[in-house]
Each structure stands twice: as C-alpha cells, then as structure tokens.
Amino acid sequence: MRRSKEDAQQTRKKIVAAAEEVFFHQGIARTTLEQIARAAGVTRGAIYWNFANKVDLINAVHAEIQLPAEEILKRILADDTSDALDRLEKYCTDSLLQLYTDEHIRRVYSIVLLKCELSEETRLLNERLRESKLEMTHNLERFFTRLQQHGYIDPAEEPRLLALGLYSFMLGVYGDYLRYPDFYQMPGDAAKMVQRFFVPLR
C-alpha cells in the first residue's frame, strides 16, 4: 500500500514536471493533455486520475513555487513589530534574487506571466490569479495600516495605494526581467530596485 502511494506521488510529480516543460516551450493555449502525457511517459488516464483538467494542472505547476513563498509572506504580513517593514523589504529582494538564480522559478513565472494566451482555460487561470491578487493586496493594506498606526511609516501615505503599488511594482519587475534579463545587472540590482520603493516610506 505504501509503495502504491509512493508510485502515485511519483507519477503526479512526473506529470507536473512534464507540463511545466511543455507549457514553457509551447504556451498554455497550444498545449494539449495528450502532449503532456507523452512528455511524462504516462497515459491520458493517468493525467485525469490526478488532475480534473488542464487548468487544474496549470494550478499545480504554479503552486509548486507559489505556496512556500506565500506562507513566508503571510507570516511577515501578520507581524506589526518595528522590523516588519525591513523583513518585507528583504522578502521582496530575496524573491528577485530567486528569480535570477533559480531556473525552475523563472520557467514557471514565464508560463504564468508571458505564455498565458487568451483562451477559456487561461480565463479561468486569470480569474484565480485575480482572486490571489485581491487577497494579497488586502493583506498588504492591513499590514501597512497597522505599521502606520504604530508610527513605523509615514502617516501621509495611503495604505491602499502602497499595497497596490508594491504588488504592481514587483509584478512589473518580474515580467520585465523575464522578457529582458540583459537590461539588468543582477544580483546587485535586486536590492537597489526594492529600496527605491521602501526607503521613502520610513
């Protein structure tokens, strides 16, 4: 029984890895489950055993990098101590450094940000990403509001705009770096760019 469970987990990992590979090279809209099955060396039935549809598979590819990072960020945003802003700044810098050093992360974000052509399947993905953005910006707004109440950031700042601004700034840098990496002098630029957002807040 244990071996069967391990085999099932290995099959799921193979499918997710193959999906990442095919999505990266072909884009989401032009990829079929049959192509993913061939790349993974499994049957289409094995894919449907593990995933409801292609959107479910896209979500699994994205979740591999998103979930661990989200847990760290949630802990930071739940904090309102004097060093919370420094920790958020470090998190943003570290995330850009990971984008620079980790090929797996670059590939997944390239799929989500650059290879998400308009289709019914990607519409569902974009709806999920919109919900994720809504939750994240609300958490950021509450975080900045608490820090403002404690006197850790400029009282003239508007927390709602800080939340939207930081989210848009990071997403914009991610997308631009993935398109034009030669424009950036990494790793040095990561901390310097993030500082441009955080220094005026203090």
Side-chain angles (χ1 to χ4, degrees):
M1 182 68 177
R2 180 180 176 184
R3 183 61 187 168
S4 177
K5 187 176 181 180
E6 289 175 355
D7 288 345
Q9 290 173 341
Q10 286 302 314
T11 298
R12 182 182 173 87
K13 286 181 181 178
K14 281 173 59 177
I15 293 170
V16 172
E20 179 188 320
E21 181 76 17
V22 182
F23 286 147
F24 179 75
H25 288 292
Q26 296 187 186
I28 292 173
R30 291 189 297 274
T31 295
T32 67
L33 292 181
E34 182 64 39
Q35 291 168 332
I36 293 172
R38 285 201 302 269
V42 301
T43 64
R44 283 188 62 182
I47 292 183
Y48 283 117
W49 179 262
N50 287 276
F51 303 97
N53 48 43
K54 192 160 77 171
V55 175
D56 193 24
L57 188 46
I58 296 165
N59 289 341
V61 170
H62 189 208
E64 279 209 336
I65 63 166
Q66 185 186 34
L67 294 180
E70 277 191 352
E71 287 307 309
I72 296 170
L73 184 55
K74 282 178 182 177
R75 288 197 293 271
I76 294 172
L77 297 185
D79 191 8
D80 56 6
T81 55
S82 59
D83 68 341
L85 196 63
D86 292 334
R87 292 174 61 211
L88 180 59
E89 181 178 344
K90 183 179 184 302
Y91 172 89
C92 291
T93 299
D94 288 347
S95 73
L96 290 180
L97 290 173
Q98 279 191 315
L99 192 67
Y100 166 67
T101 59
D102 193 317
E103 182 182 0
H104 173 54
I105 289 176
R106 283 197 304 276
R107 288 163 68 92
V108 173
Y109 275 112
S110 291
I111 293 166
V112 174
L113 297 179
L114 307 183
K115 299 176 184 288
C116 194
E117 310 93 329
L118 289 177
S119 69
E120 178 61 20
E121 291 156 333
T122 57
R123 182 186 66 80
L124 296 173
L125 172 64
N126 283 318
E127 285 179 3
R128 189 181 69 81
L129 293 176
R130 185 183 186 279
E131 291 302 312
S132 177
K133 174 180 179 175
L134 188 63
E135 179 184 3
M136 184 57 63
T137 51
H138 280 172
N139 288 340
L140 281 166
E141 182 178 355
R142 288 192 289 267
F143 172 78
F144 286 128
T145 297
R146 292 198 309 273
L147 293 193
Q148 197 172 55
Q149 290 168 347
H150 289 303
Y152 298 141
I153 62 174
D154 188 340
E157 297 286 356
E158 189 174 340
R160 180 185 64 85
L161 292 181
L162 288 179
L164 287 172
L166 180 57
Y167 188 98
S168 300
F169 170 75
M170 293 300 297
L171 193 65
V173 173
Y174 263 56
D176 196 59
Y177 176 72
L178 290 169
R179 285 187 178 92
Y180 312 112
D182 55 311
F183 282 29
Y184 295 82
Q185 297 177 16
M186 290 293 197
D189 282 356
K192 293 175 184 175
M193 285 191 298
V194 172
Q195 284 171 4
R196 296 296 182 272
F197 186 92
F198 283 89
V199 167
L201 301 184
R202 295 181 172 87

